[in-house]
Amino acid sequence: MTFDSVLKDVRYALRGLTSRPGFTAAVVATLALGVGANTAMFGIVDQLLFRPPPMLKNAALVHRPYFFGTPRGKEETCCNGRYVRYKQIEEWTTSFSSHAGYTTNDQAVGTGDEAREMRIGSVSASFFGFFDAPPVVGRYFNADEDQVPSGTPVVVLSHAFWSTRYGARNDVIGSTLHIGPTVYTIIGVSPRGFVGLWPDQPPAAFIPITSYAAGNAVALRTGTWWTTFSWGWMNTMVMRKPEVTIAQANADLTNALQRSYQSQLEEQPSSTPIDVLKPRAQLGSILPARGPNASADSKVATWLGAVSIIVLLIACANVANLLLGHTLRRRREIALRLALGVTRLRLARLLLTETVVLALLGGTAGLLIAHWGSAALKRIVLERGEPLPISDTRTLLFAAATAVGLGLLCGLAPLVQASRADLTSDLKSGVREGTRQGSRTRTALLLLQSALSVVLLTGAGLFVQSLRNVQSADLGYDVDPVLLVNLNMRGVTIDSAAQAQLRRSLRQTASAIPGVENASLQLTVPFWSTWNFGLTVAGIDSVHLLGNFELQSASPEHFETFGTRILRGRGITSADVAGAPLSMVVSESMGRLLWPGKDPIGECIKLGADSLPCHYVVGIAQNIRTQDFRPDSSHLYYLANEQFRPNRGGLFIRAHGRGGDMIETVRSALQREMPGASYVTVTPFSEIVGGETRSWRLGATMFTLFGGLALLLAAIGLYSVVAYDVAQRTHEMGVRRALGAQASDAIRLVVSGGLRVAVVGVVAGLATAYVAAPYVEPLLFNVPARAPGVLGTVAAVLLLVALAATWIPARRAARVDPNVALRSD
């Protein structure tokens, strides 16, 4: 086979395809939808689960350590995040060539009107050694600049921030930049495309981790933060030595962790004993979505990767059906070529070339669809991520492989059909004749499409119902009208009394803003931040073993502002001030748990040691959800703000309408009250809670999108099969009409045939969905994966679509003229 012969085959295929524009357009469009959807989804799943961070060296040897323990009888991730543990692990292990610590958070960058909150990477000096990313200007900070207790205030800018803020000027080195409470000296700029470990939200700059810790340790009053185990705030990464196996590294890491935990017990004797906790360590992927703490979003995205493959299979079955029908219509042409001496191998090559040309055309169109859809998918799945460019090599290779592979797979059925050509019968055949084998193959492909469509539509129905249940769930508070106000003092030093007065003043200012219904002080935020204290209750040895007990420091307006009801007793009032008896409001579940069968009102709870004074329960509040939409084991109690940390926290503000509509009004009014360079940030509470619903919104959106696409492809496939069958049976329909059959009989014959196929496909799809139910049920919310209502609705939808798809060919059969049909070939 020479290049010239291949070129001739391609030209012949193109001439044939342009002479049949309807067929060509149908195949290319179907391939484009399948390839485009999969290419766009591949970029998401690849980034979540497979693609190492850009410029990472020796990706196979880089791991994130995960630490496990059994503090409550069930193993869970624990014990990580302490700087002292990070340094101990580094000192007491021998399996790793490099260790690094890191964290990210939003900090104010700049001063005055130019100040903006941006993502900042706080990393150890060793962090940059994990990457092949030399700075384009200046240098990275070194180990001497990343020393406890306070590090050196130096900063490395990202290439994007350097370009937008400083116009990519080289003279930026040596100038200063205000980040958080500290003035940093710019010493370098990272290369274009360097994002550290955060491609979904690249940092604007990188600072020494010790500098960040020192600034926050002052605010949190943690003292010698680099020696204490009480502050968990960072993550670690390691590079395994090539000659060390993962099993050996895990054993080495576990031994170091147990030594570290033993030293923690010396500092905190009340911690869980080591023989109860059973701490162990395990290396995991540097990609969070592949770790034990993978988010629900990443789990749903993994499912969506499988869903996109199902869409590809449906597209393949549809294209195979179209190609098979096209080959059957060319039976006489194929037989004539064979009679003239064309070998079957040569014929197969011609047909395969035509299929590959179609696949490449469909793949090219699919890239355009992927280019258009990748940004939308990225916003839906990764939300803050930048869309991967379609010109990315991995994406292009995947698209090309998918298109060619799909074309070859789809071309198998017509190749098999052509190889079975019978010269005598095919040369004598008319267009109305088909082959039984071709009919069976097309029906089987149609059944596959219908069954897979049912599976996708079932997933869509389950996630839509889950989303509805989430949106109607009673959280114990209102969401849409509430704004969260956080205070960032940014190094402004005022005493505790002045801080408490500032918060009171801000609350009064907020309450006077037109459109604000109420405002209250707060310390913790559901789904965002929690505080825990050891509790002592008479008659209970270890209160912490009964569940999680979270506190909220509340002003008298809290319950009205937040929308949480007081069920019995009273809430926090203006009488609960310093010097008055210590009061506490507990949630209904906490009251039942600690005092079963008794009225909690008047009971005593001590925060910490038994020697401390009592907080007396004065009210029972409605249960609220603070960590998960599903019922959890968390219990909330409320302390009077004036009696507990009046100088800490921010505000909740309740608007008359949607809180999000008043962000700038509230921010500008409160900012005028802030001293010096300090500032406020205002966040709609709906954004915080909405982030927790993303996995269900993601599943509902994407399953519905892919399910609708699958349903469309299945409808087109059914229509093409039935329409082809009607065309082949024109003579038969004419005979039936000549013998007295009515038009309604012809319609009934065609529709019943199509519906029989659809019914079998529905049954097969429902059976598949039933078997897969246990695997998807953990991702749903208050809806069983085998919900009869969802399964019944899906079956009805597909049967209605099947009826619509068969109706047009059925009407065409009913209009057959017996005289014309009997005279036709």
Side-chain angles (χ1 to χ4, degrees), residues 475 477 526-527 530 546-550 587 589-590 592-593 623-636 692 781:
L475 302 179
Y477 45 77
F527 295 107
T530 60
L546 298 179
N548 294 319
F549 296 89
E550 301 168 2
S587 66
S589 63
M590 182 172 172
R592 284 199 305 264
L593 182 66
N623 292 332
I624 73 171
R625 301 187 185 184
T626 62
Q627 297 182 14
D628 199 316
F629 275 82
R630 296 179 174 87
D632 53 39
S633 59
S634 296
H635 312 279
L636 203 72
E692 300 300 317
F781 182 79

Side-chain angles (χ1 to χ4, degrees), residues 33 192 205 271 477 484:
L33 290 173
R192 184 189 302 274
S271 299
Y477 45 77
L484 168 67

Side-chain angles (χ1 to χ4, degrees), residues 220-239:
L220 297 174
R221 300 178 182 177
T222 59
T224 53
W225 59 268
W226 61 95
T227 62
T228 181
F229 288 91
S230 62
W231 184 26
W233 54 278
M234 58 178 286
N235 294 301
T236 59
M237 61 190 293
V238 295
M239 182 174 291

Side-chain angles (χ1 to χ4, degrees), residues 562-800:
F562 215 47
T564 301
R565 292 178 289 114
I566 296 295
L567 304 179
R568 296 198 308 282
R570 66 172 177 86
I572 303 299
T573 68
S574 57
D576 297 314
V577 296
L582 300 178
S583 59
M584 174 187 290
V585 175
V586 301
S587 66
E588 186 178 21
S589 63
M590 182 172 172
R592 284 199 305 264
L593 182 66
L594 298 183
W595 299 282
K598 296 176 60 178
D599 185 0
I601 303 294
E603 294 289 345
C604 165
I605 297 182
K606 298 180 180 181
L607 267 65
D610 191 45
S611 59
L612 296 175
C614 285
H615 283 76
Y616 293 98
V617 177
V618 298
I620 308 298
Q622 175 186 8
N623 292 332
I624 73 171
R625 301 187 185 184
T626 62
Q627 297 182 14
D628 199 316
F629 275 82
R630 296 179 174 87
D632 53 39
S633 59
S634 296
H635 312 279
L636 203 72
Y637 58 96
Y638 304 83
L639 305 176
N641 179 266
E642 292 296 322
Q643 296 177 341
F644 181 83
R645 310 290 173 89
N647 62 323
R648 298 296 304 276
L651 285 76
F652 283 129
I653 294 177
R654 185 184 186 90
H656 286 295
R658 290 181 65 256
D661 296 336
M662 295 194 62
I663 293 177
E664 187 54 33
T665 301
V666 170
R667 191 203 66 78
S668 59
L670 297 185
Q671 184 60 48
R672 291 191 288 269
E673 303 280 336
M674 298 297 290
S678 63
Y679 66 96
V680 299
T681 58
V682 183
T683 306
F685 191 49
S686 57
E687 285 188 9
I688 300 170
V689 177
E692 300 300 317
T693 68
R694 271 183 38 78
S695 63
W696 295 294
R697 286 190 286 116
L698 171 62
T701 301
M702 298 306 298
F703 265 93
T704 300
L705 178 63
F706 284 140
L709 179 58
L711 188 63
L712 174 63
L713 292 175
I716 293 173
L718 180 60
Y719 170 81
S720 66
V721 169
V722 174
Y724 175 79
D725 184 61
V726 169
Q728 293 295 91
R729 299 170 66 184
T730 301
H731 184 80
E732 175 193 340
M733 294 298 178
V735 172
R736 288 177 178 271
R737 293 298 305 276
L739 293 177
Q742 301 297 313
S744 58
D745 296 324
I747 292 176
R748 189 180 305 111
L749 177 67
V750 174
V751 170
S752 61
L755 287 180
R756 276 196 299 270
V757 175
V759 167
V760 175
V762 166
V763 171
L766 291 177
T768 303
Y770 191 87
V771 171
Y775 302 100
V776 73
E777 191 150 19
L779 302 176
L780 305 177
F781 182 79
N782 288 352
V783 55
R786 293 166 176 166
V790 172
L791 297 176
T793 301
V794 168
V797 167
L798 194 72
L799 291 177
L800 286 174

